[in-house]
Amino acid sequence: MAAELDVAVVGGSIGGLFAAALLTRTGHRVTVFERSVHGLARRGAGLVAQQELFELLHRLGRDDAARVGVVAHERITLARDGRIATRDPSPQTQLSWDHLYDVLRSELPAGAYRLSSAVARVDTTEQHALVQFADGRRESFDLVIGADGLSSVTRVAVAPEHHANSYAGYVTWRGLVPERSLPADAADTLLDRFAFFNGPAAHMLGYLVPGPAGEVQRGDRRYNWVWYRPLTIEQLRALMTRSGRTTESVSLAPGQLPADLRDTLVADAARELPPPFAAAVEAEHEPFLQTIFDFVPPRMTRGRLALLGDAAVMVRPHTAMGAAKAAGDALLLADLLDESTLDEALRRYDAERLPVGRAISDYGRRLAASLPFAR
Protein backbone atom coordinates (compact mmCIF):
# COMPACT_ATOMS: atom_id res chain seq x y z
CA MET A 1 0.00 0.00 0.00
CA ALA A 2 1.09 3.58 -0.61
CA ALA A 3 1.54 5.93 2.34
CA GLU A 4 -1.19 5.95 4.97
CA LEU A 5 -3.22 9.14 4.63
CA ASP A 6 -5.32 11.34 6.89
CA VAL A 7 -8.48 11.75 4.83
CA ALA A 8 -11.50 14.00 5.38
CA VAL A 9 -14.76 13.10 3.69
CA VAL A 10 -17.14 16.05 3.46
CA GLY A 11 -20.68 14.66 3.42
CA GLY A 12 -21.94 11.60 5.24
CA SER A 13 -24.49 10.24 2.80
CA ILE A 14 -24.11 7.07 0.76
CA GLY A 15 -21.36 8.34 -1.56
CA GLY A 16 -19.23 9.62 1.30
CA LEU A 17 -19.70 6.38 3.18
CA PHE A 18 -18.64 4.36 0.12
CA ALA A 19 -15.30 6.16 0.10
CA ALA A 20 -14.89 6.23 3.88
CA ALA A 21 -15.56 2.51 4.33
CA LEU A 22 -13.22 1.45 1.52
CA LEU A 23 -10.37 3.73 2.60
CA THR A 24 -10.75 2.68 6.22
CA ARG A 25 -10.57 -0.95 5.11
CA THR A 26 -7.31 -0.27 3.23
CA GLY A 27 -5.65 1.35 6.27
CA HIS A 28 -6.19 5.07 5.88
CA ARG A 29 -7.36 7.28 8.76
CA VAL A 30 -10.72 8.66 7.65
CA THR A 31 -13.04 11.19 9.25
CA VAL A 32 -16.50 11.88 7.81
CA PHE A 33 -18.01 15.31 8.44
CA GLU A 34 -21.81 15.36 8.22
CA ARG A 35 -23.70 18.61 8.75
CA SER A 36 -26.95 17.04 10.00
CA VAL A 37 -27.55 16.82 13.72
CA HIS A 38 -28.99 13.31 13.95
CA GLY A 39 -27.57 11.58 10.88
CA LEU A 40 -29.28 10.47 7.71
CA ALA A 41 -30.89 7.18 8.73
CA ARG A 42 -34.45 6.77 7.44
CA ARG A 43 -34.01 9.57 4.89
CA GLY A 44 -33.45 7.39 1.86
CA ALA A 45 -35.80 5.36 -0.27
CA GLY A 46 -34.88 2.62 -2.73
CA LEU A 47 -31.85 1.80 -4.83
CA VAL A 48 -31.79 -0.26 -7.99
CA ALA A 49 -28.93 -2.73 -7.54
CA GLN A 50 -26.02 -2.35 -9.96
CA GLN A 51 -22.75 -4.24 -10.38
CA GLU A 52 -20.56 -1.50 -8.85
CA LEU A 53 -22.59 -1.63 -5.66
CA PHE A 54 -22.26 -5.41 -5.41
CA GLU A 55 -18.50 -5.14 -5.98
CA LEU A 56 -18.09 -2.50 -3.29
CA LEU A 57 -19.98 -4.54 -0.72
CA HIS A 58 -17.92 -7.59 -1.65
CA ARG A 59 -14.70 -5.61 -1.08
CA LEU A 60 -15.97 -4.70 2.38
CA GLY A 61 -16.79 -8.31 3.17
CA ARG A 62 -20.49 -7.43 3.31
CA ASP A 63 -22.02 -9.63 0.64
CA ASP A 64 -24.79 -10.21 3.17
CA ALA A 65 -25.99 -6.62 2.63
CA ALA A 66 -26.28 -7.21 -1.12
CA ARG A 67 -28.69 -10.06 -0.45
CA VAL A 68 -31.09 -7.82 1.52
CA GLY A 69 -33.19 -6.87 -1.47
CA VAL A 70 -36.61 -7.27 -3.06
CA VAL A 71 -36.97 -8.70 -6.55
CA ALA A 72 -39.50 -7.24 -8.96
CA HIS A 73 -40.41 -10.18 -11.17
CA GLU A 74 -41.67 -8.13 -14.09
CA ARG A 75 -41.85 -4.58 -15.39
CA ILE A 76 -45.27 -3.22 -16.27
CA THR A 77 -46.66 -0.02 -17.77
CA LEU A 78 -50.07 1.15 -16.61
CA ALA A 79 -52.73 2.79 -18.72
CA ARG A 80 -54.50 5.86 -17.34
CA ASP A 81 -57.45 3.74 -16.17
CA GLY A 82 -55.16 1.41 -14.21
CA ARG A 83 -55.07 -1.48 -16.65
CA ILE A 84 -51.70 -3.14 -17.33
CA ALA A 85 -50.86 -1.96 -20.84
CA THR A 86 -47.49 -3.71 -21.30
CA ARG A 87 -45.48 -6.41 -19.53
CA ASP A 88 -41.76 -7.20 -19.61
CA PRO A 89 -40.65 -10.34 -17.70
CA SER A 90 -37.28 -8.87 -16.70
CA PRO A 91 -36.52 -9.35 -12.98
CA GLN A 92 -34.79 -6.55 -11.11
CA THR A 93 -33.50 -6.26 -7.54
CA GLN A 94 -34.08 -3.21 -5.33
CA LEU A 95 -32.13 -2.50 -2.16
CA SER A 96 -32.98 -0.34 0.83
CA TRP A 97 -31.07 2.96 1.12
CA ASP A 98 -31.68 2.91 4.88
CA HIS A 99 -30.18 -0.53 5.36
CA LEU A 100 -27.19 0.22 3.16
CA TYR A 101 -26.53 3.45 5.08
CA ASP A 102 -26.57 1.55 8.40
CA VAL A 103 -24.26 -1.15 7.04
CA LEU A 104 -21.70 1.35 5.75
CA ARG A 105 -21.72 3.40 8.96
CA SER A 106 -21.06 0.23 10.93
CA GLU A 107 -17.84 -0.23 8.95
CA LEU A 108 -16.35 2.96 10.43
CA PRO A 109 -14.58 3.07 13.79
CA ALA A 110 -16.15 4.96 16.69
CA GLY A 111 -15.72 8.71 16.33
CA ALA A 112 -15.00 8.61 12.60
CA TYR A 113 -18.46 9.89 11.67
CA ARG A 114 -18.93 13.38 13.08
CA LEU A 115 -22.42 14.86 13.15
CA SER A 116 -23.22 18.58 13.41
CA SER A 117 -20.06 19.30 11.42
CA ALA A 118 -21.11 21.77 8.73
CA VAL A 119 -18.20 22.60 6.44
CA ALA A 120 -18.08 26.20 5.24
CA ARG A 121 -15.17 25.90 2.80
CA VAL A 122 -12.21 23.79 1.81
CA ASP A 123 -8.87 24.69 0.26
CA THR A 124 -5.62 23.08 -0.79
CA THR A 125 -1.92 23.80 -0.59
CA GLU A 126 0.97 21.73 -1.88
CA GLN A 127 1.30 20.01 1.50
CA HIS A 128 -2.22 19.88 2.94
CA ALA A 129 -5.95 20.04 2.32
CA LEU A 130 -7.77 22.40 4.65
CA VAL A 131 -11.30 22.20 6.04
CA GLN A 132 -12.96 25.20 7.64
CA PHE A 133 -16.16 24.59 9.58
CA ALA A 134 -19.14 26.88 9.98
CA ASP A 135 -18.16 27.55 13.59
CA GLY A 136 -14.75 28.85 12.51
CA ARG A 137 -12.65 25.77 13.38
CA ARG A 138 -10.03 24.60 10.89
CA GLU A 139 -8.46 21.18 10.42
CA SER A 140 -5.73 19.95 8.09
CA PHE A 141 -5.62 16.64 6.16
CA ASP A 142 -3.60 14.92 3.48
CA LEU A 143 -6.70 14.62 1.27
CA VAL A 144 -10.25 15.97 1.27
CA ILE A 145 -12.94 14.07 -0.63
CA GLY A 146 -16.03 16.14 -1.42
CA ALA A 147 -19.10 13.92 -1.28
CA ASP A 148 -21.37 16.78 -0.26
CA GLY A 149 -23.96 16.53 -3.00
CA LEU A 150 -25.46 19.13 -5.28
CA SER A 151 -24.70 22.06 -2.95
CA SER A 152 -21.08 21.00 -2.57
CA VAL A 153 -18.67 23.46 -0.99
CA THR A 154 -15.82 21.21 -2.10
CA ARG A 155 -16.90 21.61 -5.72
CA VAL A 156 -16.47 25.39 -5.38
CA ALA A 157 -12.83 24.88 -4.43
CA VAL A 158 -12.15 22.32 -7.16
CA ALA A 159 -13.86 24.20 -10.00
CA PRO A 160 -14.42 27.82 -8.95
CA GLU A 161 -15.07 28.91 -12.52
CA HIS A 162 -17.93 26.43 -13.03
CA HIS A 163 -19.69 24.94 -10.03
CA ALA A 164 -23.39 25.84 -10.46
CA ASN A 165 -26.07 23.24 -11.18
CA SER A 166 -28.41 23.60 -14.16
CA TYR A 167 -32.11 23.13 -13.34
CA ALA A 168 -33.80 20.61 -15.63
CA GLY A 169 -37.28 22.16 -15.29
CA TYR A 170 -38.94 19.38 -13.32
CA VAL A 171 -38.93 17.71 -9.91
CA THR A 172 -39.69 14.36 -8.35
CA TRP A 173 -42.22 13.88 -5.61
CA ARG A 174 -41.40 10.77 -3.64
CA GLY A 175 -43.03 8.53 -1.11
CA LEU A 176 -42.06 5.46 0.89
CA VAL A 177 -44.99 3.67 2.50
CA PRO A 178 -45.50 0.33 4.28
CA GLU A 179 -46.88 -2.14 1.78
CA ARG A 180 -49.76 -2.87 4.16
CA SER A 181 -50.95 0.73 3.77
CA LEU A 182 -51.84 0.19 0.10
CA PRO A 183 -55.48 -0.65 -0.66
CA ALA A 184 -55.99 -4.21 -1.85
CA ASP A 185 -56.66 -3.29 -5.49
CA ALA A 186 -53.55 -1.14 -5.69
CA ALA A 187 -51.46 -3.79 -3.95
CA ASP A 188 -52.61 -6.47 -6.38
CA THR A 189 -51.38 -4.36 -9.30
CA LEU A 190 -48.21 -2.84 -7.90
CA LEU A 191 -46.53 -5.21 -5.47
CA ASP A 192 -43.72 -7.45 -6.71
CA ARG A 193 -43.58 -5.50 -9.97
CA PHE A 194 -41.64 -2.51 -11.25
CA ALA A 195 -44.44 -0.27 -12.53
CA PHE A 196 -44.44 2.78 -14.80
CA PHE A 197 -46.92 5.34 -16.12
CA ASN A 198 -46.35 7.99 -18.79
CA GLY A 199 -48.83 10.84 -19.02
CA PRO A 200 -48.94 14.21 -20.81
CA ALA A 201 -47.50 16.04 -17.79
CA ALA A 202 -46.29 13.25 -15.53
CA HIS A 203 -43.98 10.26 -15.39
CA MET A 204 -44.46 7.82 -12.52
CA LEU A 205 -42.72 4.69 -11.34
CA GLY A 206 -42.76 2.53 -8.24
CA TYR A 207 -41.30 -0.62 -6.73
CA LEU A 208 -40.89 -2.49 -3.46
CA VAL A 209 -37.84 -2.09 -1.23
CA PRO A 210 -36.94 -3.78 2.06
CA GLY A 211 -38.27 -2.46 5.34
CA PRO A 212 -36.28 0.11 7.35
CA ALA A 213 -34.22 -2.56 9.11
CA GLY A 214 -33.80 -4.67 5.98
CA GLU A 215 -37.00 -6.72 6.30
CA VAL A 216 -37.83 -8.57 3.08
CA GLN A 217 -40.71 -10.78 4.16
CA ARG A 218 -44.13 -10.08 2.66
CA GLY A 219 -46.06 -7.52 4.70
CA ASP A 220 -42.96 -5.84 6.15
CA ARG A 221 -41.59 -4.30 2.97
CA ARG A 222 -42.16 -0.74 1.74
CA TYR A 223 -43.45 0.66 -1.52
CA ASN A 224 -41.26 3.36 -3.05
CA TRP A 225 -42.90 5.67 -5.59
CA VAL A 226 -41.35 8.44 -7.69
CA TRP A 227 -43.53 11.00 -9.50
CA TYR A 228 -41.86 13.33 -12.00
CA ARG A 229 -43.70 16.63 -12.60
CA PRO A 230 -42.82 19.87 -14.40
CA LEU A 231 -42.25 22.94 -12.25
CA THR A 232 -40.97 26.31 -13.36
CA ILE A 233 -38.26 27.94 -11.29
CA GLU A 234 -40.82 30.52 -10.12
CA GLN A 235 -43.21 27.78 -9.03
CA LEU A 236 -40.37 25.97 -7.24
CA ARG A 237 -39.45 29.10 -5.29
CA ALA A 238 -43.09 29.73 -4.38
CA LEU A 239 -43.41 26.13 -3.16
CA MET A 240 -40.34 26.52 -0.98
CA THR A 241 -41.70 29.76 0.48
CA ARG A 242 -45.07 28.15 1.22
CA SER A 243 -43.20 25.32 2.94
CA GLY A 244 -41.25 27.66 5.21
CA ARG A 245 -38.00 27.23 3.32
CA THR A 246 -35.77 29.82 1.65
CA THR A 247 -36.28 30.58 -2.03
CA GLU A 248 -32.87 29.02 -2.70
CA SER A 249 -33.93 25.64 -1.25
CA VAL A 250 -34.31 22.80 -3.72
CA SER A 251 -35.66 19.91 -1.65
CA LEU A 252 -38.28 19.04 0.94
CA ALA A 253 -37.68 16.33 3.51
CA PRO A 254 -40.50 14.17 4.91
CA GLY A 255 -42.74 16.33 7.08
CA GLN A 256 -41.76 19.67 5.52
CA LEU A 257 -44.68 19.91 3.09
CA PRO A 258 -47.65 21.74 4.68
CA ALA A 259 -50.83 19.67 5.07
CA ASP A 260 -52.85 21.75 2.60
CA LEU A 261 -50.19 21.32 -0.10
CA ARG A 262 -50.08 17.61 0.58
CA ASP A 263 -53.88 17.52 0.09
CA THR A 264 -53.42 19.31 -3.24
CA LEU A 265 -50.82 16.75 -4.29
CA VAL A 266 -53.21 13.90 -3.45
CA ALA A 267 -55.98 15.58 -5.46
CA ASP A 268 -53.63 16.06 -8.43
CA ALA A 269 -52.68 12.38 -8.26
CA ALA A 270 -56.34 11.31 -8.39
CA ARG A 271 -56.83 13.51 -11.46
CA GLU A 272 -53.61 12.68 -13.35
CA LEU A 273 -52.46 9.17 -12.40
CA PRO A 274 -53.77 5.60 -12.75
CA PRO A 275 -55.80 4.63 -9.65
CA PRO A 276 -53.13 2.27 -8.21
CA PHE A 277 -50.50 5.02 -8.30
CA ALA A 278 -52.97 7.62 -6.98
CA ALA A 279 -53.64 5.30 -4.03
CA ALA A 280 -49.90 5.01 -3.36
CA VAL A 281 -49.60 8.80 -3.29
CA GLU A 282 -52.54 9.08 -0.91
CA ALA A 283 -50.96 6.48 1.41
CA GLU A 284 -47.91 8.72 1.93
CA HIS A 285 -48.65 11.30 4.64
CA GLU A 286 -45.23 12.97 4.37
CA PRO A 287 -44.20 13.12 0.69
CA PHE A 288 -40.79 14.58 -0.05
CA LEU A 289 -39.35 16.40 -3.03
CA GLN A 290 -36.13 16.25 -5.03
CA THR A 291 -35.28 18.80 -7.71
CA ILE A 292 -33.63 17.56 -10.90
CA PHE A 293 -30.35 19.17 -11.92
CA ASP A 294 -27.51 18.59 -14.35
CA PHE A 295 -23.87 19.31 -13.61
CA VAL A 296 -20.61 18.13 -15.18
CA PRO A 297 -17.43 19.79 -13.87
CA PRO A 298 -14.37 20.80 -15.87
CA ARG A 299 -12.32 18.63 -13.48
CA MET A 300 -12.86 16.31 -10.50
CA THR A 301 -9.63 17.07 -8.63
CA ARG A 302 -7.45 20.03 -7.73
CA GLY A 303 -4.40 19.86 -5.52
CA ARG A 304 -5.33 17.61 -2.60
CA LEU A 305 -9.07 17.79 -3.23
CA ALA A 306 -11.26 15.24 -5.04
CA LEU A 307 -14.96 15.15 -5.89
CA LEU A 308 -17.15 12.06 -5.71
CA GLY A 309 -20.76 11.15 -6.44
CA ASP A 310 -23.27 13.97 -6.95
CA ALA A 311 -20.71 16.57 -5.85
CA ALA A 312 -18.70 15.57 -8.92
CA VAL A 313 -21.34 14.88 -11.58
CA MET A 314 -25.10 15.22 -11.16
CA VAL A 315 -26.98 12.60 -13.17
CA ARG A 316 -30.71 12.34 -13.66
CA PRO A 317 -32.45 9.63 -11.67
CA HIS A 318 -33.88 8.06 -14.86
CA THR A 319 -30.52 6.35 -15.26
CA ALA A 320 -30.89 4.53 -11.89
CA MET A 321 -27.10 4.86 -11.82
CA GLY A 322 -26.42 7.60 -9.26
CA ALA A 323 -25.43 5.22 -6.46
CA ALA A 324 -23.54 2.97 -8.87
CA LYS A 325 -21.58 5.95 -10.19
CA ALA A 326 -20.64 7.00 -6.66
CA ALA A 327 -19.58 3.42 -5.87
CA GLY A 328 -17.48 3.34 -9.03
CA ASP A 329 -15.83 6.62 -8.04
CA ALA A 330 -15.01 5.26 -4.59
CA LEU A 331 -13.70 1.93 -5.89
CA LEU A 332 -11.29 3.51 -8.35
CA LEU A 333 -10.07 6.17 -5.93
CA ALA A 334 -9.37 3.55 -3.26
CA ASP A 335 -7.50 1.37 -5.75
CA LEU A 336 -5.38 4.24 -7.06
CA LEU A 337 -4.49 5.48 -3.59
CA ASP A 338 -3.40 1.92 -2.76
CA GLU A 339 -0.98 1.66 -5.68
CA SER A 340 0.22 5.19 -6.49
CA THR A 341 1.45 8.38 -4.95
CA LEU A 342 -1.30 10.82 -3.98
CA ASP A 343 -0.58 13.17 -6.89
CA GLU A 344 -0.56 10.34 -9.43
CA ALA A 345 -3.68 8.75 -7.94
CA LEU A 346 -5.67 11.98 -8.20
CA ARG A 347 -4.43 12.63 -11.74
CA ARG A 348 -5.55 9.20 -12.89
CA TYR A 349 -8.82 9.41 -10.95
CA ASP A 350 -9.74 12.62 -12.76
CA ALA A 351 -8.72 11.26 -16.15
CA GLU A 352 -10.67 8.02 -15.76
CA ARG A 353 -13.82 8.97 -13.86
CA LEU A 354 -14.75 12.32 -15.43
CA PRO A 355 -15.49 10.73 -18.85
CA VAL A 356 -17.61 8.08 -17.12
CA GLY A 357 -19.64 10.70 -15.27
CA ARG A 358 -20.07 12.76 -18.43
CA ALA A 359 -21.32 9.71 -20.35
CA ILE A 360 -23.89 8.86 -17.65
CA SER A 361 -25.05 12.48 -17.56
CA ASP A 362 -25.53 12.47 -21.34
CA TYR A 363 -27.41 9.18 -21.09
CA GLY A 364 -29.77 10.64 -18.50
CA ARG A 365 -30.59 13.60 -20.70
CA ARG A 366 -31.31 11.28 -23.62
CA LEU A 367 -33.67 9.22 -21.46
CA ALA A 368 -35.40 12.38 -20.27
CA ALA A 369 -35.93 13.58 -23.83
CA SER A 370 -38.91 11.24 -24.15
CA LEU A 371 -40.70 13.05 -21.32
CA PRO A 372 -43.04 15.75 -22.64
CA PHE A 373 -41.99 18.25 -19.96
CA ALA A 374 -38.22 17.61 -19.83
CA ARG A 375 -35.49 19.56 -21.57
Side-chain angles (χ1 to χ4, degrees):
M1 187 183 85
E4 181 180 302
L5 301 173
D6 280 315
V7 181
V9 176
V10 181
S13 191
I14 290 290
L17 287 173
F18 286 157
L22 283 173
L23 293 177
T24 297
R25 175 60 67 104
T26 54
H28 300 288
R29 296 180 298 275
V30 183
T31 307
V32 179
F33 297 107
E34 167 53 42
R35 65 183 177 182
S36 66
V37 176
H38 302 293
L40 303 175
R42 309 298 179 259
R43 293 196 184 185
L47 292 174
V48 176
Q50 305 277 8
Q51 184 56 42
E52 293 90 341
L53 190 51
F54 291 136
E55 181 180 347
L56 186 143
L57 290 171
H58 180 69
R59 294 266 196 103
L60 294 174
R62 294 305 305 265
D63 292 297
D64 58 302
R67 292 190 289 271
V68 181
V70 178
V71 178
H73 298 289
E74 66 175 344
R75 298 162 71 92
I76 62 172
T77 301
L78 299 182
R80 174 62 185 83
D81 62 4
R83 291 179 298 106
I84 297 177
T86 67
R87 296 177 184 268
D88 175 12
S90 299
Q92 185 167 296
T93 301
Q94 294 78 235
L95 306 180
S96 165
W97 192 100
D98 300 331
H99 183 65
L100 184 60
Y101 173 84
D102 290 340
V103 166
L104 293 169
R105 274 201 66 174
S106 73
E107 293 297 306
L108 303 183
Y113 191 98
R114 298 190 194 174
L115 296 169
S116 301
S117 297
V119 173
R121 64 187 298 269
V122 301
D123 205 350
T124 180
T125 69
E126 288 188 7
Q127 293 79 29
H128 302 289
L130 306 172
V131 177
Q132 180 173 320
F133 298 91
D135 62 8
R137 291 181 300 112
R138 292 167 64 91
E139 293 189 35
S140 175
F141 297 88
D142 297 314
L143 170 67
V144 169
I145 298 172
D148 42 345
L150 65 90
S151 300
S152 170
V153 298
T154 316
R155 184 196 291 173
V156 177
V158 171
E161 76 278 24
H162 175 54
H163 59 266
N165 301 294
S166 175
Y167 179 43
Y170 60 103
V171 302
T172 64
W173 289 99
R174 307 193 67 156
L176 188 64
V177 299
E179 63 176 305
R180 295 179 188 273
S181 68
L182 294 176
D185 288 349
D188 286 345
T189 299
L190 298 175
L191 298 187
D192 299 304
R193 291 164 164 156
F194 203 117
F196 296 88
F197 169 70
N198 295 300
H203 175 63
M204 183 83 168
L205 59 95
Y207 49 86
L208 280 169
V209 299
E215 302 91 341
V216 296
Q217 56 269 31
R218 186 174 297 275
D220 294 331
R221 305 166 299 180
R222 296 170 295 173
Y223 191 74
N224 176 66
W225 56 261
V226 184
W227 181 10
Y228 295 90
R229 304 187 78 193
L231 208 64
T232 67
I233 192 65
E234 293 77 18
Q235 289 171 327
L236 177 61
R237 288 170 178 164
L239 172 63
M240 292 299 157
T241 300
R242 290 278 306 277
S243 301
R245 309 277 287 163
T246 69
T247 56
E248 306 307 314
S249 299
V250 295
S251 64
L252 294 174
Q256 291 183 333
L257 184 70
D260 63 319
L261 295 183
R262 184 260 175 185
D263 292 342
T264 299
L265 191 71
V266 170
D268 289 348
R271 186 173 58 253
E272 299 176 17
L273 300 176
F277 274 147
V281 173
E282 186 173 8
E284 176 55 83
H285 297 290
E286 295 185 336
F288 47 107
L289 178 140
Q290 172 190 358
T291 304
I292 307 303
F293 289 101
D294 296 310
F295 175 77
V296 178
R299 69 192 69 85
M300 287 176 58
T301 65
R302 184 176 77 85
R304 290 172 173 260
L305 309 176
L307 299 176
L308 181 146
D310 288 348
V313 179
M314 289 291 302
V315 299
R316 303 199 188 188
H318 316 294
T319 64
M321 295 175 69
K325 181 179 70 65
D329 290 346
L331 284 163
L332 180 64
L333 185 56
D335 285 345
L336 293 174
L337 290 172
D338 196 43
E339 65 189 43
S340 308
T341 65
L342 177 58
D343 289 345
E344 176 64 11
L346 294 183
R347 185 194 67 77
R348 290 176 58 189
Y349 174 70
D350 184 51
E352 294 184 34
R353 288 306 293 180
L354 183 54
V356 173
R358 184 180 293 114
I360 298 173
S361 177
D362 291 343
Y363 173 57
R365 285 194 293 272
R366 290 197 302 272
L367 289 177
S370 63
L371 305 178
F373 51 79
R375 68 168 189 256

